[in-house]
Amino acid sequence: MKAGDRLSMFRFPYKISLVLLLGLTILAAPLPNLQHVQAHAQEGLLIPPDSFVIAQTAPAPEEAVRFAEQLIGKLSASKPFTAWKEARPEFQPLGPGMHAWLVTLTQDGKPIGYLILGAKPSGGYALIEYGAGPEPLFDTVALQRALAAESGVSAHSASLPPHSAALQVEQLYAGPTLAEWRIVDRAGQAAGLQVQAADRGDSLPLQYRDARNADPLPDNESIWRRLLASPPQLSSATVASGSAAAIPDRPTKTADSFDPNDNLLWLASDQLKLTASSLTQELRQHKALIFAARSEDRNYTLPLPVYGYQTWEQGDDTATIEHVYVMTGSAASPRFIAFDELARTGQFYNSTGQ
């Protein structure tokens, strides 16, 4: 793919989009005016609980619970996971047909980390990704703030509207680069969402947003129907339940966390063809990389900073397998994704464009 093509497909944050309008195509869908969303002063909760419905926790299979407890125990032996020793895990199923579980770890009611466990077709569970710190993969607070801000309502208003409409919010997960909020407004005509949905051929007034930062995404129902109909097969190169115990090494941080938007020279560089082992070598040499997630179903690119890794050794005295998890995310909340699960969704690039 030519550099110009990558540039036109790149999804920039709104804070810098005005600077880049000359010569660039911004592909984020226009946002409707969510006038029915109202602020509510309750420990930062901006949308009234009765108007903002998210899937609740649910009893997880015993094997998934046992596997999560083992992972938490092993990871909590070293930073940045040491706070997990006293954490409380909460289990949530992720979207219909995805056969995955989100395990959120909380302490004093606040998130301090998460795990994503995927069900293997052959039985058992695999560790797809995990993260530490206060920024959850599905950040409810960021979503509430974004919706309230677009409604033009003060975050400190304590009044409820007389006709507050319910938002049905669902967590969708089809892999590390496809974690999104699906938001259905049952009173879409009043909020102006019906036209937006009809333009995309959808039957319901809805929108999709990035799970972590609540940025709007130009995805639609047809894309997610395809994803849900054929969920990706999990790679064998992941830490899995029901096999020899896996032991994590301490995370290797090769650079500080960074924003891929700060230096766009990587868009003009050639992609790197990496394996799990060559990734660790590349990071030791160049310190930082950028992963650009894209697929046939998406007309935009999602860039992630790559600034380290964590390896797990799994096996016995006769044979040992090393699993590599790519370190991305922010400095406060690093995120670790199984190499194969990430690599299948895009390409790696040198962060400096060289």
Side-chain angles (χ1 to χ4, degrees):
M1 181 180 292
K2 296 180 180 179
D5 296 333
R6 286 200 295 270
L7 196 60
S8 66
M9 295 172 63
F10 185 61
R11 182 169 69 87
F12 296 98
Y14 290 136
K15 69 177 72 174
I16 63 169
S17 61
L18 292 178
V19 181
L20 297 164
L21 280 177
L22 293 177
L24 296 179
T25 301
I26 305 302
L27 294 172
L31 288 174
N33 181 21
L34 303 179
Q35 294 179 352
H36 70 286
V37 179
Q38 297 295 318
H40 192 263
Q42 181 183 354
E43 297 182 353
L45 187 63
L46 302 179
I47 299 174
D50 58 347
S51 302
F52 193 83
V53 182
I54 299 178
Q56 301 299 309
T57 58
E62 183 178 342
E63 184 176 0
V65 174
R66 187 166 56 249
F67 184 42
E69 290 174 346
Q70 294 171 354
L71 295 170
I72 293 168
K74 292 171 183 176
L75 285 167
S76 63
S78 61
K79 293 180 178 181
F81 311 103
T82 51
W84 289 15
K85 294 177 182 178
E86 307 298 329
R88 175 174 175 259
E90 297 177 350
F91 291 78
Q92 287 178 288
L94 284 178
M98 287 288 91
H99 307 294
W101 288 88
L102 167 64
V103 185
T104 302
L105 290 92
T106 62
Q107 190 174 58
D108 299 327
K110 298 178 180 179
I112 60 170
Y114 75 93
L115 308 166
I116 298 285
L117 308 181
K120 299 171 61 179
S122 58
Y125 292 87
L127 177 60
I128 299 175
E129 64 170 289
Y130 52 98
E135 301 168 10
L137 180 60
F138 287 87
D139 195 332
T140 306
V141 173
L143 177 61
Q144 292 170 328
R145 290 187 183 280
L147 294 177
E150 284 160 18
S151 73
V153 178
S154 169
H156 301 290
S157 172
S159 60
L160 285 173
H163 304 292
S164 178
L167 293 178
Q168 179 181 318
V169 181
E170 184 180 10
Q171 298 163 322
L172 295 178
Y173 186 87
T177 62
L178 278 165
E180 298 182 13
W181 294 108
R182 179 180 184 268
I183 307 165
V184 179
D185 176 16
R186 296 300 179 182
Q189 290 182 333
L193 283 173
Q194 189 67 56
V195 174
Q196 179 73 9
D199 288 345
R200 297 199 302 259
D202 297 334
S203 58
L204 288 173
L206 56 81
Q207 58 178 300
Y208 291 86
R209 287 177 177 268
D210 185 273
R212 200 151 202 176
N213 57 30
D215 281 353
L217 298 173
D219 290 341
N220 56 48
E221 285 289 85
S222 61
I223 290 176
W224 273 100
R225 275 195 291 267
R226 289 195 296 271
L227 291 170
L228 294 172
S230 56
Q233 298 297 312
L234 293 176
S235 166
S236 60
T238 53
V239 176
S241 65
S243 54
I247 307 299
D249 294 329
R250 292 178 181 273
T252 299
K253 183 179 177 182
T254 56
D256 291 332
S257 175
F258 62 97
D259 186 345
N261 305 311
D262 291 342
N263 184 349
L264 300 179
L265 292 177
W266 64 271
L267 287 165
S269 65
D270 295 328
Q271 69 183 67
L272 302 172
K273 299 186 182 300
L274 300 177
T275 63
S277 59
S278 63
L279 169 82
T280 61
Q281 297 173 6
E282 191 75 23
L283 282 171
R284 285 194 292 266
Q285 179 180 354
H286 294 289
K287 306 304 181 185
L289 302 172
I290 287 174
F291 182 81
R294 58 174 65 94
S295 71
E296 295 178 355
D297 289 323
R298 307 170 84 173
N299 58 358
Y300 59 92
T301 297
L302 176 67
L304 299 175
V306 176
Y307 57 94
Y309 58 91
Q310 184 168 26
T311 57
W312 293 67
E313 291 187 358
Q314 188 166 24
D316 50 33
D317 294 337
T318 59
T320 300
I321 302 174
E322 186 176 79
H323 303 305
V324 176
Y325 284 73
V326 180
M327 187 177 186
T328 181
S330 67
S333 295
R335 184 181 176 195
F336 299 82
I337 304 172
F339 174 84
D340 282 5
E341 300 307 311
L342 183 64
R344 75 169 82 216
T345 66
Q347 296 82 36
F348 290 93
Y349 295 88
N350 191 305
S351 61
T352 61
Q354 297 177 353

